Amino acid sequence: MQSQMARLFALLTLLLISTLSLAAQIPEKSPNDDNQYRFIELENGLKVILVSDKEADKAAASMNVAVGSGDDPQDREGIAHFLEHMLFLGTEKYPEPGEYQQFIKSHGGQHNAFTAFQDTNYFFDIQADFLAPALDRFAQQFAAPLFTAKLVDRERNAVHSEFSSKQKDDGRRFYSVQKAVSNPESAFSQFAVGNLSTLENTDDNPLRPDLIEFWKQHYSANLMSLAVYGPQPLDDLEAMVRGRFDAIENRHLEPKRHMASLLEQDELPAKVTADAIKDVRSLTLTFPIPSQEDNYRTKPASYVANLLGHEGPGSLFDVLKRAGLAESLSAGLGMDTGENATLEISIALTPEGLNRQEEILPLVFDYIDQIRENGISEQRFREMQNLARIDFRFREQGSPLHEAMRLASQLLEYPPEDLLRAPWLVERYAPEQYRDILQRLTPDKVLVFVLAPDPELKNPNLTKWYEAPWTKEPLNPEALTQTGLPELASQLRLPPANPFLPEDLELVPGKTMAKPMMLGTLNGMDIWFARDTRFDTPKANVFLSLRTPAATVSARGHVLTQLLVDSINANLNAWAYSASLAGLDYSVYPHLRGITVRVGGYNDKLHTLMNRILLQVAAPELTRQRFDIARQNLIDSLQNQAKDRPVEQTSEFVQTALIEGAWSTAAKLRAAKEVTFDELRSFADIAFAQVDPVMMAHGNLTEASALNLARQINAIVLRNSENTRVDRSQVRQLPERETEVSLKVDHPDTGYTLYMQGDNTSFEERARFQLLGQIISSPFYEEIRTTRQLGYIVYATPYEMLETPALGFVVQSPSASQSEIDQAVREFAKGFDKTLVGLTEERLNQEKQAVVSKLLEQERQLGEISSRYWREIDRGADYFNSRERLAEAVRKVSKEELLATFRNAVLERDQALRVVTGGDGLQADKALGKLTDLPLVPAS
């Protein structure tokens, strides 16, 4: 009896342990999350989170490796990034270098990877039925990569092209300055991208052995975390993982600990000034603080940053903006290595703000002092905690791909049980932690960065690879505590309680409507409504488009519309910022036909925000100070377009030349330089004198509330307006044969965009180009980028604009001329004709299904559905079935039709526009004169 009792006790104990173990494997999730989750750890130490979403039409996976550019040896900078490239290029089981990419693409998916300082993340998504074979290929990249010798030498050119393409990018150049002034003992100071020099491959210094050695010394299953997302049951997902990913070797490695501080603290305080290519002006204060990784349950850095970055009345940003000194301000963690971190305050300055930067710095410390003295309160914490809990409670799912990427990365940061809730977790009031951070934000421990065009540097240093000029000088901490702007310092105050916290979180009664219905017309305004609670969230989106001939008549009208919208947004910002913190968001933006107002988020106080926005639209408060700043910003932005990457400029030219009503950069710049403040005041009075309005209310709203919003719009904005009609823009039809345009661009790379236009805007023609783009994209990439190594930026894509079908080939090359690129493209096209001729019916149907799956991809958030409905309303497609009709047309495309489309558009270039940098084509101004006189593409 005693023996039986012992056995029974042992069995119960085992069951209890098993139950506790099982519970530990299931992370705590949002009440709004219907997915099932399971955490497992394979015998090789690989951590895995499985996600079963039975409604998903796509599957996805992401592998995060706790190895990044911070692990690069000093004599092989960029090798972690290079390894990321090489893992895609063939494995023992799948040796063909483009096989993985082709498999993913042919089954409606996408793939990519990125290398960060401490992590490298690999990811893909695919039609759900093909998850298992995709995982088989994915696992092999980490278990048995080939590192084929000829591809090693070829791919280093691709990495160099990636480096070259960003040499005139201000973000990359400024990052190189930050590295140059960081602690040389820290791995952060090293060059992370790699190029032909750091990835040298010679007989004396062969790259492949170093690559393999780096892989063996750094990549190990116990340093990896995998997320797999699909509609399959958890047991099936687990079976897909086991037997594939347990083949990855566990080398029992430890992640590198970055003990060295990111900044040289004995060099502080100091100011670094860097030269910008574009007209951008920024001031960044960087403070060293301890790592915050262990504080994820209390988030003290978020508490402090929320106050520093607040934009409400009396905030640092509001005071600076009203004084005409700043355009934006953000605060938050910079880097966090797990040992050391930085907190950053970044301010985008106006030209006047740049001139008065030395007066702004003491004002920043005045505000920090206020937070230190009066900003720590339990009431503020409770507000932050409540908002986090509400957001977690009603969290909407992202796409399978983004969910997989997020979970794989976070699996290395958080314990499994907190994986799903960690970003929203704010467990307790932690005043001691808030004070610990605030006491480190002092004038004697700051590194200030100033980025500005032509800052007149004396004897500047140049960063090693990007040749970005910079200087460094010490700062006097006492000067940073002497208020230079007492009249502004007296205006600073901490934010009051947030009046926009949602209180009514109930769902409205009634079923979700299949599509919007028109409730009627009020003063010429169509009122569209769709109740939608399918995601069980008390949220809604309201759109209002005010289409007006005043915005479309000329480039000057377009510029004045932009300046008017800027004033509206500037006036709203301080008041509406609290709403954005409380789960409401809004945007007022210009478009080809006028302006649109969009308000979304928790519907409880949505009408209050909408009312305030409408009052500003109807009677904006215009000031000369804001006009001068906005006009200069617009001029800077337009001038900066000439400094964009070559392919950005070639592609932008295509859109400007062919879209009706899209004014050229030169015309807009001319208008921006000429307009006056009095002109803007006059424009504001007549902008909506004639208007073609339409609104849509979608989400957790009743029909009555939608009609109330419509009456609100009518009473505030439309009461004195005359109805008119503003037609939607169309695309101009290219002449027969090819038109070549040459742009002058100051960049070492060559830009090439070949736009091949369809005959009409019918669903049948659009379907042919969509399918052709799907089939041709991977072979084009493989030939032009991987085999010929013409550049890093290489892609073929459907190039549809305003329902006008087209195919686009885009290449940016650091080594080839535009004629060499074009010759390679022509040779590819001739060879691809044979590929299409040999296309089997099975393969054609597979590619069709890939296109259809993208067109009909499941919408997972209310905003995605709202945006689709709004696009349909904009184009007048009030059956709301455009994507279904296009998908059906794709299914019906025959091989003969596809081949004819390819030969006419690509081989013959019947209606093509080739825009390149360099070359002997028409110059931009002459080309625009000819192209803008062309007729419009017909409907059928």
Side-chain angles (χ1 to χ4, degrees), residues 23 90 93 129 195 239 268 288 320 330 342 360 362 380 455 543 684 695 723 796 805 808:
K93 188 173 181 179
D129 290 344
N195 57 23
L268 303 179
L320 289 172
S330 62
T342 58
I360 292 174
R380 296 185 196 284
F543 290 77
M695 72 155 283
N723 292 332

Side-chain angles (χ1 to χ4, degrees), residues 21 56 94 136 356-357 406 463 531 580 670 833 905 931:
S21 175
Y94 303 98
D136 201 55
R356 300 174 69 180
Q357 57 178 280
R406 180 180 67 85
T463 60
R531 181 177 53 253
S580 68
R670 195 160 47 247
D833 185 77
L931 293 170

Side-chain angles (χ1 to χ4, degrees), residues 575 606-616 709 712 716:
W575 182 85
L606 183 148
H607 62 286
T608 304
L609 179 58
M610 186 68 169
N611 183 268
R612 184 66 171 256
I613 295 171
L614 294 174
L615 289 170
Q616 271 300 320
L709 283 166
Q712 201 176 357
I716 297 173

Side-chain angles (χ1 to χ4, degrees), residues 38 94 117 150 213 238 255 264 442 452-453 487 514 526 534 550 579 581 595 629 675 690 700 811 818 828 901:
R38 179 181 296 168
Y94 303 98
F117 181 62
K150 67 176 182 180
E213 182 66 13
E238 183 170 343
E264 291 185 283
T442 56
E487 71 283 6
D526 292 343
R534 74 187 74 183
L581 292 179
I595 76 166
I629 292 170
V675 293
Q690 291 184 301
N700 190 50
V811 181
Q818 61 86 22
F828 163 78
T901 298

Side-chain angles (χ1 to χ4, degrees), residues 348-369:
L349 300 174
T350 63
E352 178 67 12
L354 181 66
N355 292 335
R356 300 174 69 180
Q357 57 178 280
E358 293 183 2
E359 297 171 83
I360 292 174
L361 286 171
L363 198 68
V364 175
F365 286 102
D366 282 343
Y367 196 59
I368 292 172
D369 286 343

Side-chain angles (χ1 to χ4, degrees), residues 227-274:
V228 178
Y229 190 115
Q232 296 85 350
L234 288 172
D235 288 345
D236 292 358
L237 293 173
E238 183 170 343
M240 290 182 196
V241 169
R242 295 190 187 274
R244 290 186 171 96
F245 290 89
D246 54 11
I248 302 171
E249 184 178 350
N250 184 358
R251 300 183 174 115
H252 302 283
L253 303 178
E254 292 291 329
K256 181 175 179 178
R257 295 185 64 185
H258 296 273
M259 304 303 295
S261 62
L262 293 163
L263 306 178
E264 291 185 283
Q265 299 204 30
D266 56 355
E267 296 276 316
L268 303 179
K271 182 173 81 169
V272 175
T273 305

